[in-house]
Amino acid sequence: MQISNWLSASILNAVLRNVPFTLPTTVYLALYTSNPTAADTGSEVIGGGYGRQVITFAAPSIENGMQTVKNATDIEFPIATADWGLVTHVGLRNAITGGNLLWSTAIPNPRTIQTGDKPKFLKDGTVVRFTN
């Protein structure tokens, strides 16, 4: 996943400049029809029963020499009551609406979500790593 400009600045300020940083109490998985980019400029799905879903992560572990976390449970979105379009990216956000983008990534197999579909992301499928 790509770290957002907002989060990278917040971490650098907190660690290296002693600027207070408020940790998110809840993290949400958001769906996008375009790349959110590090600057948080993408198009998030709207309408049709869509809503961000809470995502929780297991404890970090080292995988291939990198600190890694994975979602601890399946994440199910509500049944689409209208077409959501071609979902190409996901993002992690710090609020149920609005808020700040934390990380984002492209979905390996983008899907068109149509009325009646219920998107689901399986346990261990959402991965965040700190790379060297």
Side-chain angles (χ1 to χ4, degrees):
M1 286 196 146
Q2 174 184 4
I3 193 167
S4 71
N5 294 343
W6 177 84
L7 183 57
S8 59
S10 296
I11 291 170
L12 290 171
N13 279 326
V15 173
L16 301 175
R17 299 181 63 231
N18 200 29
V19 174
F21 172 62
T22 303
L23 298 173
T25 55
T26 306
V27 175
Y28 299 88
L29 185 66
L31 305 180
Y32 290 84
T33 57
S34 68
N35 185 350
T37 75
D40 195 10
T41 58
S43 296
E44 186 175 357
V45 171
I46 56 171
Y50 167 78
R52 296 174 186 169
Q53 297 301 300
V54 172
I55 183 169
T56 57
F57 289 90
S61 63
I62 303 254
E63 289 187 9
N64 299 318
M66 295 175 276
Q67 286 289 351
T68 303
V69 293
K70 297 179 181 179
N71 58 304
T73 61
D74 292 350
I75 301 114
E76 291 189 36
F77 283 81
I79 295 171
T81 60
D83 292 351
W84 292 358
L86 178 64
V87 175
T88 60
H89 291 75
V90 295
L92 301 177
R93 300 197 66 95
N94 66 355
I96 188 89
T97 60
N100 298 292
L101 179 67
L102 306 173
W103 279 278
S104 65
T105 193
I107 295 174
N109 297 305
R111 304 285 175 162
T112 298
I113 306 300
Q114 299 177 323
T115 302
D117 290 346
K118 185 174 181 159
K120 181 178 182 177
F121 292 79
L122 299 177
K123 177 183 180 287
D124 296 332
T126 304
V127 178
V128 179
R129 288 188 175 100
F130 279 111
T131 59
N132 298 335

